[in-house]
Amino acid sequence: MDYYKKRTLTFPNSYVIDGYTVAGPKENDGRYKGFFDLALEDDMFGQNTFERAERKMFEHAIDGVIGKANLTNADVDALVGGDLLNQIISMSFSARKQHAGFLGLYNACATFAESLIVGSCLLNNGLENVVCIAGSHFSTAERQYRYPLELGVLRSPVTQWTATGVGATVLSNQCETSTPKVTRATIGRVVDYGIMDANNMGAAMAPSACDTLVTFFKDTETSPDDYDAIFTGDLGKLGSDILLDLTKQEGYDISAKQHDCGASLYWDEQQTYQGGSGAACSALVFNGVLLGRLRKGEYKRILLAGTGALMSPTTSFQGDSIPAITHLVEVCF
Amino acid sequence: MEKYCEITKDNYKSYVFEKMPKSSHWKNMFWAFLIGGTICVIGQAFIELYKLWFSIEDASVLASGTMVLIAAILTGLGVYDNIGRFAGAGSTIPITGFSNAVVSPALEFRSEGYIYGVGAKMFLVAGPVIVNGVTISVIIAILTLIFGG
C-alpha cells in the first residue's frame, strides 16, 4: 500500500459496487424520502424489542447489499462495521448469519467512514469483496445514552436526534463496469476541546472534523475547490457553523461545499433541533443519496468526513469532557 | 465572529457558548406555568370532588392517587413525554411528573424481564429524588431536634 504523507492513505483498487439502506419511518419522512431501499413503517420491525429490531435492520442491510451487488453470501470475504450499542451487539449478532470474516468497529458515529477505510485496506491485501456497514436506532441509543423514551423532559436546543437506519456498501478490488472508487482516506485522531455537555455533540466534534479535513488538504495538496461536495457526518447545524469558522481560520473556506448528513436528514418541522446524529446519518446519506449522485454525474469527487463523539454515560457522569474523532474518505467517479 | 479573532482550545468553550442557540426562558416559564398550573387545578378539582364523600385529608390522598394513575396511563399511551417536551418543569414538579419518572423506565426495561428489567431499573430516574429527599428530611429533622421548634 502506498503510504501518503502522515495520516493519509491512497487506495488503488477500492471499487464501490453498490450500497443498500434500511431507514426508519421518521427518516423516510425527512428530506431524503424515497431514497432508501427499505423504509420501515414501524421502528419495531416486527420484533419484540428495539435491540432485536436494530439487529434485524443490520441483517437486512447485509443481505440486501450482497443481493444488489449480484453476489452471494459466499462471495463476501469480510464484513467490517459496527453500531452504537455497548459491545456493538447489533453488528456482531447480525454477523452470525454470515460466512465472511468479521471485524467489529466502534468509532461512534464515524464508524461508517472507518469501515470504508478498513474495508479498502483489506482489499489492498488480497480480499476480493468486503461489506462495510454501520447504523443506529433512535430507541436503543436513547435509552443507552440518555433517558427512557416516555420520560417527559425539556430538550435542549443544541440536541440532535439519533437517526434510525443502517447503510451497507460492497467494496471490491475489481469491477468490470465503471463505478465510484474510494481513492484516498485520512485516518482521524482523537481531538478533545473540553466540551462537557453531552447534548452538544456538534460542538464537541467540530474541532476534530477541522483537524482531519485540514490534514487531508495539506497531505494531498488539494483544496475545497477540487471537490464538488464535502459531506460531514453528524455535526448538526451548530457543529457545521463552528466547523466553517474553524476551517476558515486554518485558511480553507469550505462554506460553499460543506453539507452535513445529519443536519440535512430531517425537515425543520420534525423537531430534531440541530438535525440527526448517529452512525446511521453518514451510512444512510452515502449509500442512499451520494452514490446515486456520483453515478448520475452530479458529483465527480466528494469527501465524506464521518464524525464521532466518543463519550459514554459513565464518562459524562464522572465529569470527563467529550473526545471526538473524524475519519475522511475521498470518493471519485 | 469578530470577538474571537482566533479560536483556540482555551477560548473554545466560551466561543461555543456565545454561538449556541439558547433556550427561551420566558417561553419555557410561560408553558411551565400554564401546564403546571392546569395540572394543579385538575388536582384541586379532584380534591373538591372527593370532599363530597370523604374528609379533607382522605380527599387529598385520593386526589394525589388519581393524578398519579392518570399520569401513569398517559405515560403508557405515549402522551406524557409530549407534554413534558414543552411544559418542562411544569409537568416534572407536580406528583404526575414523579409518576412519569417511575413508569417510563418500568416500560422501557420491561424487555429485560421483571427482575433485572422492571424491578432493577424502575427507580432509575426517581431513585435519586427519593434518596436525596429522605436524606434531607432526616437532616432537617435532626436540626429541628437540636435547635428546637
Side-chain angles (χ1 to χ4, degrees):
Chain A
M1 198 188 314
D2 259 344
Y3 272 98
Y4 231 86
K5 287 177 248 169
K6 295 176 187 168
R7 292 187 278 137
T8 301
L9 317 161
T10 56
F11 303 116
N13 52 352
S14 174
Y15 299 92
V16 182
I17 304 300
D18 225 324
Y20 189 93
T21 47
V22 181
K26 186 170 175 133
E27 290 62 33
N28 195 47
D29 279 342
R31 278 178 219 263
Y32 300 120
K33 186 180 177 70
F35 278 88
F36 307 114
D37 294 284
L38 178 67
L40 305 181
E41 283 174 12
D42 171 21
D43 64 354
M44 287 292 276
F45 206 0
Q47 303 297 300
N48 59 354
T49 72
F50 287 119
E51 284 72 15
R52 291 203 177 101
E54 182 172 342
R55 199 176 304 159
K56 192 173 166 191
M57 288 165 65
F58 271 82
E59 290 167 357
H60 254 260
I62 297 168
D63 289 336
V65 78
I66 292 171
K68 217 174 155 189
N70 289 320
L71 298 172
T72 64
N73 294 40
D75 295 325
V76 178
D77 301 308
L79 203 59
V80 290
D83 57 275
L84 298 183
L85 300 187
N86 293 336
Q87 290 83 37
I88 52 170
I89 47 172
S90 304
M91 181 68 233
S92 313
F93 279 58
S94 60
R96 288 185 297 197
K97 296 196 171 167
Q98 302 298 326
H99 305 288
F102 166 58
L103 288 172
L105 304 178
Y106 180 81
N107 261 178
C109 313
T111 303
F112 183 68
E114 183 189 18
S115 77
L116 290 179
I117 297 176
V118 175
S120 298
C121 290
L122 296 177
L123 295 177
N124 279 293
N125 283 284
L127 297 196
E128 284 173 15
N129 301 303
V130 178
V131 172
C132 304
I133 180 167
S136 51
H137 192 300
F138 172 79
S139 301
T140 59
E142 197 65 9
R143 82 149 150 176
Q144 179 178 303
Y145 288 98
R146 294 178 198 95
Y147 305 110
L149 291 175
E150 299 302 331
L151 186 69
V153 285
L154 201 62
R155 289 176 61 218
S156 152
V158 294
T159 52
Q160 290 167 264
W161 186 274
T162 309
T164 302
V166 176
T169 309
V170 170
L171 296 180
S172 295
N173 66 353
Q174 54 195 344
C175 184
E176 283 152 15
T177 54
S178 172
T179 193
K181 285 175 71 178
V182 178
T183 41
R184 290 188 279 208
T186 295
I187 299 173
R189 58 181 167 191
V190 179
V191 174
D192 189 341
Y193 266 38
I195 293 291
M196 310 292 282
D197 180 4
N199 288 316
N200 199 353
M201 290 189 292
M205 296 187 293
S208 107
C210 174
D211 177 75
T212 301
L213 277 165
V214 169
T215 304
F216 178 83
F217 291 137
K218 283 185 179 158
D219 284 358
T220 58
E221 291 171 357
T222 53
S223 78
D225 296 334
D226 296 319
Y227 294 91
D228 298 313
I230 298 167
F231 276 82
T232 48
D234 60 347
L235 291 176
K237 292 166 197 159
L238 173 65
S240 299
D241 278 354
I242 296 173
L243 174 65
L244 297 185
D245 282 354
L246 291 172
T247 47
K248 197 171 273 177
Q249 183 172 289
E250 297 290 327
Y252 295 94
D253 183 2
I254 61 167
S255 55
K257 303 293 170 81
Q258 192 260 351
H259 307 270
D260 188 67
C261 300
S264 63
L265 201 53
Y266 303 101
W267 300 109
D268 289 345
E269 305 84 77
Q270 289 179 294
Q271 300 257 319
T272 59
Y273 300 98
Q274 299 298 321
S277 69
C281 291
S282 47
L284 284 178
V285 173
F286 179 78
N287 293 293
V289 184
L290 300 184
L291 277 185
R293 288 187 185 163
L294 282 161
R295 290 228 166 91
K296 277 190 224 150
E298 289 175 35
Y299 296 146
K300 294 249 178 287
R301 295 173 74 172
I302 60 165
L303 296 176
L304 178 74
T307 47
L310 302 173
M311 85 294 184
S312 86
T314 308
T315 60
S316 295
F317 290 139
Q318 291 181 355
D320 290 308
S321 56
I322 302 169
I325 192 155
T326 301
H327 297 299
L328 182 143
V329 290
E330 178 194 60
V331 185
C332 300
F333 185 50
Chain B
M1 303 206 92
E2 48 300 320
K3 192 183 158 197
Y4 292 93
C5 40
E6 204 197 351
I7 308 160
T8 62
K9 205 169 171 175
D10 297 322
N11 70 15
Y12 187 66
K13 272 200 250 185
S14 54
Y15 155 80
V16 168
F17 185 76
E18 202 147 291
K19 204 171 174 76
M20 68 188 239
K22 312 287 185 301
S23 313
S24 163
H25 292 307
W26 290 108
K27 195 178 130 210
N28 288 346
M29 280 194 283
F30 170 78
W31 281 109
F33 178 77
L34 195 75
I35 304 289
T38 308
I39 292 172
C40 296
V41 168
I42 296 169
Q44 186 64 40
F46 277 114
I47 293 177
E48 298 301 326
L49 180 72
Y50 290 130
K51 262 176 27 187
L52 298 175
W53 302 286
F54 303 101
S55 68
I56 174 81
E57 290 81 11
D58 288 349
S60 303
V61 174
L62 279 168
S64 298
T66 310
M67 295 304 280
V68 166
L69 181 70
I70 292 172
I73 292 168
L74 288 179
T75 303
L77 293 174
V79 176
Y80 205 88
D81 61 321
N82 294 328
I83 300 173
R85 203 154 286 165
F86 60 94
S91 63
T92 310
I93 300 297
I95 200 164
T96 51
F98 198 76
S99 170
N100 172 249
V102 176
V103 174
S104 59
L107 281 172
E108 182 101 7
F109 292 96
R110 167 70 189 85
S111 59
E112 275 102 299
Y114 285 109
I115 311 266
Y116 293 108
V118 177
K121 301 280 174 66
M122 198 171 191
F123 292 95
L124 194 69
V125 183
V129 182
I130 298 172
V131 171
N132 291 316
V134 169
T135 310
I136 289 167
S137 323
V138 170
I139 292 170
I140 291 174
I142 293 171
L143 290 177
T144 314
L145 205 66
I146 296 170
F147 298 107

